[in-house]
Amino acid sequence: MGTRIHTLEVGLGRNLTYLIVDEDTGEAALVDPAFEADRILRWVRENARALRHVLVTHTHMDHVEAVGAVARETGADVRVHALEADKLPDDVDRALVRPHQSDPALRLGETVITGVHTPGHTPGGTTYLTGMYALTGDVLFVNGCGRVDLQGGDADAMFHSLYDVLLELPPETIVLPGHDYGPRTRSTLWDEARENPYLKYRGNQDGFRDFRLNSRMGKRIVR
């Protein structure tokens, strides 16, 4: 039957959390649950038989606030990059945490999920790939990219994550970002390469860094 990805907007910051469900087994992985644990848990129960994993793209509070409650209620393990494992909320049961370095491959029935290290917004930023989808957290938005001026942010790392990792994926890859900040909730890498102002600097790392940190538009699109 394949894989289905459900989307739920949570909190006040237009955060998007995703439920990846293998339709044959009903097993699921939940990406970046925050703020509305009870609502998220009801949504998971309505759309999946069993939650196996909570996947963390990065540990800013607006992406992990509900991780502890969801993992505790379901027994799902928590997958997070090792560079940010110590930044999870205090209520997360450390016995359930499975830190990874890069490329952790998970299987839910026939559904395979792979994590790719995409730092820049945070040191341990991770994009999760499954089928034709890339769940990018706060690294890549529709017509935007994540901030690099917060603690742990790095404009040069962001450049490499965008150009050397994400833009090397097939252009038909569907981007599922961590916030609904753009004109639509999802996009493709083909469309982002044509329309996203942060993806106009291939081969020009200095230009990207200056635009992200110093230009009027770069400062306006803070995210």
Side-chain angles (χ1 to χ4, degrees):
M1 294 175 64
T3 304
R4 183 180 295 274
I5 300 182
H6 303 269
T7 306
L8 183 69
E9 183 174 321
V10 295
L12 300 177
R14 291 183 285 177
N15 285 72
L16 299 174
T17 185
Y18 298 96
L19 185 67
I20 304 168
V21 182
D22 180 77
E23 294 187 294
D24 291 323
T25 65
E27 295 182 324
L30 180 66
V31 180
D32 286 359
F35 297 128
E36 302 180 56
D38 290 342
R39 179 175 171 231
I40 290 171
L41 285 164
R42 287 196 301 272
W43 176 63
V44 169
R45 287 191 291 266
E46 290 168 358
N47 292 288
R49 293 179 196 154
L51 185 66
R52 300 302 186 199
H53 310 290
V54 175
L55 309 181
V56 175
T57 65
H58 66 293
T59 54
H60 286 165
M61 189 56 63
D62 61 330
H63 291 258
V64 297
E65 188 272 338
V67 167
V70 169
R72 185 168 57 251
E73 179 69 22
T74 64
D77 63 25
V78 178
R79 304 293 178 124
V80 61
H81 197 280
L83 289 173
E84 297 189 34
D86 63 345
K87 301 292 195 301
L88 289 167
D90 292 340
D91 70 333
V92 175
D93 183 350
R94 263 46 189 183
L96 295 174
V97 177
R98 305 286 184 269
H100 59 77
Q101 296 290 339
S102 63
D103 300 330
L106 306 173
R107 185 176 290 275
L108 303 168
E110 294 302 312
T111 297
V112 177
I113 306 170
T114 303
V116 178
H117 189 203
T118 46
H121 184 60
T122 63
T126 300
T127 292
Y128 293 98
L129 308 177
T130 185
M132 62 191 302
Y133 296 95
L135 293 85
T136 56
D138 284 7
V139 172
L140 178 63
F141 301 124
V142 177
N143 287 0
C145 79
R147 293 177 63 168
V148 297
D149 58 337
L150 302 174
Q151 185 175 8
D154 185 321
D156 293 317
M158 178 67 82
F159 177 88
H160 288 296
S161 291
L162 293 174
Y163 289 91
D164 299 333
V165 179
L166 295 181
L167 285 183
E168 291 300 309
L169 297 172
E172 64 271 20
T173 299
I174 297 172
V175 177
L176 301 179
H179 293 267
D180 178 15
Y181 280 157
R184 53 196 180 275
T185 58
R186 60 176 60 187
S187 185
T188 66
L189 287 177
W190 171 264
D191 287 333
E192 291 310 298
R194 291 186 303 125
E195 301 171 3
N196 192 319
Y198 294 97
L199 299 183
K200 305 299 183 184
Y201 291 90
R202 187 181 288 277
N204 184 3
Q205 187 170 339
D206 290 342
F208 172 83
R209 185 192 311 112
D210 182 66
F211 179 70
R212 174 69 272 194
L213 292 172
N214 299 315
S215 75
R216 179 176 298 177
M217 184 176 186
K219 286 184 175 181
R220 179 173 61 83
I221 307 178
V222 293
R223 295 170 185 150

